[in-house]
Amino acid sequence: MAMPTREELRSALFLKAALPLTKVIREKNPTIRRLTRNLEAVVQFQVKNSDIGAYLEFADDALQVGQGIHEEPTVAFVFGSRQSLNTFLAGGIALPAIRGIYRVDILVKVVPLLLALKILLPTANPKEPEKRALKVELLLYMVTTALSQLNKAGEPKISALVAKSPDRVYQFTVENGPAAYLRMKAGKTKAGRGVYTRRRPFVLMKFPDIEGAYQVLTQQAELVEAVSKGFVVTEGAMEYSKEIGMFMQDIEELVT
């Protein structure tokens, strides 16, 4: 298996870890929920002449995120290269060709949802408690899914860790808040939301509150400093929690 390029890793993160978070944003944001309540459409994001893509499917007051190329999208954002797709999903300037551009009614409802994803960017530092809580929840889901997707995409460092790993669970939990986990075993990974209950976590990163989680997940506090300040309590193999922390920094670098 050839070593993936940086742009290949970025598109794996954007399409498979970040874009699916639009479902959470839609559920949590009353304005966007109202805006898309009666929407019946498929909005495709893809690289021209390739199978690289993902789509948002709105139907029956629900949103599903699919991977690959939909057979009959209502609107399609078609990018000339993988790099331009990545730039667009990272919040940068990249102008795609838009098939179905006449469906302005769909575009005006979907664009605010896409713009709301910018809360994931390291430069976004919301002050309102509810938005900070949303960013924590999104980052927990993003980080665990991104780590799994990086392994599946063949990122060398995390793939090396996973390849030699027995069945282990890395659990992230906010007290009275969201939780997510990453399970790895013999080269395979699976990310999930909530608390994994079938086995004791190999590493547990437990945050006492949203603010502590915010400081750690946004890289505003190094892990050692975060532990000393009480932002997080780490149980289990400390050296592996540090390794996961380093991977989190790699993810932040890839999405910017």
Side-chain angles (χ1 to χ4, degrees), residues 49 51 62 74 93 98 118 124 154 157 165 175 195 199 252:
N49 299 325
D51 60 357
T74 318
I93 298 175
I98 303 178
K118 286 190 173 184
K157 289 184 291 184
S165 176
E175 193 74 26
V195 176
R199 66 185 303 116
E252 181 177 294

Side-chain angles (χ1 to χ4, degrees), residues 22-246:
T22 52
K23 290 185 64 175
V24 180
I25 290 174
R26 183 178 180 271
E27 291 169 2
K28 300 285 185 177
N29 187 311
T31 300
I32 291 176
R33 181 67 187 271
R34 285 195 300 271
L35 195 62
T36 59
R37 178 167 292 148
N38 298 316
L39 185 59
E40 301 282 331
V42 174
V43 181
Q44 175 80 62
F45 304 89
Q46 68 182 92
V47 177
K48 185 178 180 181
N49 299 325
S50 79
D51 60 357
I52 303 165
Y55 55 89
L56 308 179
E57 186 169 5
F58 299 88
D60 302 322
D61 194 26
L63 168 60
Q64 300 298 326
V65 181
Q67 296 299 317
I69 309 301
H70 193 276
E71 292 182 356
E72 297 182 356
T74 318
V75 175
F77 293 79
V78 184
F79 298 85
S81 67
R82 187 192 292 266
Q83 184 174 3
S84 61
L85 169 69
N86 292 341
T87 298
F88 178 84
L89 292 177
I93 298 175
L95 298 178
I98 303 178
R99 295 204 300 263
I101 193 171
Y102 65 92
R103 293 300 306 268
V104 177
D105 58 318
I106 294 174
L107 295 174
V108 298
K109 294 179 179 181
V110 172
V111 168
L113 178 59
L114 297 177
L115 291 175
L117 275 177
K118 286 190 173 184
I119 195 173
L120 288 167
L121 295 176
T123 52
N125 185 27
K127 303 302 181 185
E128 303 92 332
E130 64 275 10
K131 289 186 177 179
R132 288 172 86 84
L134 175 61
K135 180 159 185 171
V136 164
E137 183 173 0
L138 294 175
L139 285 175
L140 277 181
Y141 301 157
M142 169 78 174
V143 165
T144 47
T145 304
L147 288 169
S148 183
Q149 290 301 327
L150 285 177
N151 174 60
K152 293 173 182 178
E155 197 283 329
K157 289 184 291 184
I158 192 166
S159 293
L161 173 65
V162 175
K164 62 185 180 182
S165 176
D167 195 351
R168 288 172 173 171
V169 174
Y170 295 77
Q171 179 74 56
F172 302 79
T173 302
V174 181
E175 193 74 26
N176 299 316
Y181 64 86
L182 175 70
R183 184 183 180 189
M184 61 177 68
K185 180 183 179 182
K188 296 183 179 180
T189 49
K190 182 179 180 180
R193 299 175 185 178
V195 176
Y196 191 84
T197 57
R198 294 184 182 179
R199 66 185 303 116
R200 184 184 181 91
F202 177 66
V203 172
L204 170 62
M205 296 183 71
K206 185 165 57 176
F207 304 98
D209 52 33
I210 289 293
E211 190 56 34
Y214 189 91
Q215 294 297 319
V216 176
L217 294 173
T218 59
Q219 310 288 326
Q220 294 189 40
E222 297 288 341
L223 186 57
V224 174
E225 176 191 0
V227 170
S228 67
K229 289 185 174 181
F231 293 152
V232 60
V233 175
T234 302
E235 299 177 5
M238 186 67 177
E239 66 274 18
Y240 284 91
S241 63
K242 290 179 180 178
E243 200 158 21
I244 293 296
M246 292 174 64

